[in-house]
Structure formats: structure tokens, C-alpha cells
Amino acid sequence: MMKPIIGMLVSLGISAIAAAQQRAPELKMVATATERNWNGIAVSNYKRIFADFPLWEKGKNPSLVELKDGKEVVFPGNEWNNWQPGKDPKKSFVSLNSLYINRDDNHLWVTDAGEAFGKDRVSGAPKLVEIDLSNNQVVNVFLIGDKYAPTGSHLNDIRILGDDVFVTESGTGAILVLNRKTGEIRRLLAKSTLTKAAPKAQPVIDGFRLQGKDGKTPVINVDQIELSVDGKILFFMSPFGPNLYKVAVKDLLDTKLSDEELEKRILVDRKVNPVGGIIMDGEDNLYLSEIETSAIRCESKDGSTKWLLQDPRLVWPDAYSITPDGTFYLVVAQISNMPFMRKGKDLRHPPYYIFSFNPISDN
């Protein structure tokens, strides 16, 4: 009788685990693109939707668009979207990587990595651009010079807390802190292994280990970044994991701490699977765009899975934006199908999606 009892207990245990997880929300299609893949999204306090297209291929394509009635409208609608080699990169978008809405003032922030056609960076191009959505005007351009964005660098994701702007630099591996009032920039953890891709991390999608023409796993250093709801903790990681790190914001802002001292105060928050993007909601639930399984995983603050949403259309789900009413928006970037991930082959295929979803309440 022992074996049936054990089997029953195991079955009950599995059922209990399943019951503990909530039902996953449903994806709603917001928009599609057919000619190129977008890489970032930001939705304003009043549900204006913005998306960006990095300058990965040649051709006259806008860098930043607003989606209106399913159509792409160039934004902000002037010379910012008309950069060509030889033009001043300080006054136009070169190659955008991410977008972010500062909820405090409803301003759109644009991260320009400045690498035209996926090649070397255009001199003077790396920058952060702040746009006031009340009048659609650029109000600030923060140029990130060679001292803070050296050769090989790549500006990536951004978060804002008061006057402090935190930016991941995934090319060489560092975290930048910009004070938007003074314009002062600090480059942190540039020599730390915590901001570097883990050498043994090798994501596999559909049985294929992601690799370049040389057969090596692409190196993407610190990329994803997020703030806790109380603004006291900053989280960061490299996309292939395996660690999500956390550090006190007060320590990041402490100019008296050396990089070595700062590194000692950084902890591993949890182990994670390879992801395209992360975000936290108002209850510090963590949403992970898992690239190996075409999934979105929602984890509670303690790291337990609340729900898992899998969909074959989620080919490298990436950037998120959460509106004040709790609606999530995300792009499907298909980065894992690009040549530098597929041994030189371009396996991208339209359409490229923007989805939304509304998490199901715990109550």
C-alpha cells in the first residue's frame, strides 16, 4: 500500500503547486510592423503609444514613431528622424535602443546608442533625449561623451528617480548615473564582473545555441534595469543571466564609495532564466520576458512564480511599459533571429508584434 500512498502524495503536491499559481493573463494585439523589428516601447500617462526602430539596416526608416489608430506617425515629426551620415548626430536620432516614460511629469526619454547600421558608433551620437509630451518638444539633450561612453560601449535601458537617471551600458559593461539638473555623469562598476556577461551562459532556443558567425555566444553585458516600487533598490542583470543583482540606490549615489566598495554591497536577488526584458509593478512583482521558452513569467517578491504565459509569437519579448491603470505593453523584437545570434543567418520574419495584457487580480 506504500507505493500508491506515495504516488497520491506526489500527485497532491503537484496539484497544490499548480493551484498556487494564478491563471496567466491573455495577450491582446496592439499593433504590428512588417518591414522592420522594433526594439522599445513607452506608453504615456494618457495612453499615447511610442515605439522605436534601431538603425540596423540601411534604408529611410524613422527611428521613433507614435502609433495612432494602428498607423506609425513619425515623432516628434521634424529633423530628429532624418539623420544621414554626415549630418549632426547631436540634433537627430541615429540608432535608438530604448524608450521610457517618467511618470512624474509624463516626459518621454529616448536612449540613442548611436551605432549606425549595427557598426561602429557615430562620434558624438550617444545621448539621452527628453521630450515634453504636453507640447511634443525636445526639452533636454544629454550628450554622453567618450569618457562615459568609450569605444565599444552601447547605451541600453534607463530608469529615473527624481533627478537621477540610471542607464545600463551593455557594450563594455557599466552603469551610468546622470544628474539631470547638473548634467553630471558618473560611470560605475566598469571593472566589475557583476556588470559583465557570464562566460558560461549559453541560451538555447528551439535546440539551437545562440551564436555568431564565429560560433561564440554573443556577449551582451549589463542590460536590464529596474527600480523597486519604493525607489530604494536598483536591480540589474545581463540578458543571459543567471543572476539578477540588487543594490541600494543610496549606495549608487554615494560619491564617497569607490567602485570596489560599491561592488561589495551588491547582492544576488535571485537566479533567472535568459530574458529580453524585465519590469516590476507597484507590488514589486517581477515580470521576466523569457527568451528560451517564448514566455512571460511573473514572480512575486520572494521569487516564487505567480503565473507563466507562453505563446509562440513571443520571439524575444523585450521592453515593457506599464500605464497608470495597470495595463502592460511590450514589444516582440525577434533579436534571437538576427544574424549575430544565428551564425550569420537572418531568420526574422514579420509581423513584429506589440502586445498588451492586464494581470488578473489576486482577489
Side-chain angles (χ1 to χ4, degrees), residues 45-326:
N45 293 350
Y46 304 104
K47 291 290 186 85
R48 294 174 65 182
I49 303 173
F50 302 91
D52 71 62
F53 298 98
L55 190 59
W56 284 324
E57 288 93 14
K58 293 185 178 180
K60 193 169 183 178
N61 295 317
S63 293
L64 177 61
V65 297
E66 181 177 2
L67 299 176
K68 293 184 176 181
D69 300 321
K71 296 181 180 179
E72 299 171 8
V73 179
V74 176
F75 186 86
N78 49 32
E79 290 302 308
W80 280 98
N81 277 278
N82 291 330
W83 181 83
Q84 293 293 325
K87 285 190 174 183
D88 186 355
K90 299 180 182 66
K91 299 179 181 179
S92 57
F93 301 133
V94 175
S95 186
L96 304 189
N97 188 80
S98 65
L99 306 175
Y100 183 75
I101 295 289
N102 182 17
R103 298 293 172 199
D104 291 342
D105 55 16
N106 199 40
H107 284 194
L108 173 66
W109 285 70
V110 181
T111 305
D112 189 349
E115 298 158 3
F117 315 122
K119 297 182 180 179
D120 293 337
R121 183 190 59 211
V122 175
S123 179
K127 57 187 172 292
L128 303 177
V129 180
E130 181 183 4
I131 303 173
D132 185 345
L133 295 181
S134 68
N135 56 19
N136 300 330
Q137 297 298 309
V138 172
V139 292
N140 279 307
V141 178
F142 298 96
L143 300 176
I144 313 297
D146 292 347
K147 179 179 179 181
Y148 305 104
T151 300
S153 63
H154 181 86
L155 302 184
N156 214 302
D157 284 353
I158 177 176
R159 290 296 185 267
I160 300 173
L161 182 65
D163 291 327
D164 297 303
V165 182
F166 305 96
V167 187
T168 51
E169 191 274 275
S170 60
T172 63
I175 294 177
L176 306 184
V177 180
L178 162 72
N179 184 293
R180 58 179 182 163
K181 275 193 173 180
T182 66
E184 178 187 3
I185 303 173
R186 298 168 60 226
R187 180 177 168 88
L188 305 175
L189 301 168
K191 295 181 180 180
S192 172
T193 58
L194 304 185
T195 57
K196 309 300 183 288
K200 294 183 179 180
Q202 297 183 337
V204 175
I205 297 179
D206 297 329
F208 180 83
R209 178 177 63 81
L210 298 183
Q211 58 191 285
K213 284 185 177 181
D214 58 4
K216 297 179 180 179
T217 302
V219 175
I220 308 176
N221 296 308
V222 59
D223 179 341
Q224 288 78 17
I225 189 172
E226 185 56 296
L227 287 164
S228 60
V229 67
D230 61 10
K232 293 182 178 180
I233 302 295
L234 184 132
F235 300 85
F236 65 90
M237 64 174 289
S238 299
F240 298 158
N243 295 325
L244 175 69
Y245 296 103
K246 63 181 179 182
V247 60
V249 169
K250 66 179 179 62
D251 289 336
L252 278 175
L253 300 180
D254 188 346
T255 57
K256 295 180 181 179
L257 286 179
S258 67
D259 260 20
E260 292 75 15
E261 292 170 324
L262 176 61
E263 181 175 350
K264 291 177 182 177
R265 301 188 182 199
I266 297 173
L267 301 174
V268 175
D269 180 73
R270 69 190 80 182
K271 298 289 185 180
V272 294
N273 297 323
V275 300
I278 65 172
I279 201 166
M280 281 183 165
D281 65 15
E283 298 179 351
D284 282 333
N285 294 312
L286 176 67
Y287 298 79
L288 300 140
S289 295
E290 298 189 340
I291 61 175
E292 291 183 312
T293 54
S294 299
I296 299 169
R297 183 184 300 273
C298 174
E299 291 185 350
S300 61
K301 194 173 183 178
D302 64 8
S304 61
T305 296
K306 299 186 74 170
W307 52 259
L308 181 71
L309 188 164
Q310 288 185 281
D311 190 303
R313 297 172 296 178
L314 294 174
V315 182
W316 196 292
D318 206 319
Y320 289 97
S321 187
I322 309 176
T323 55
D325 69 357

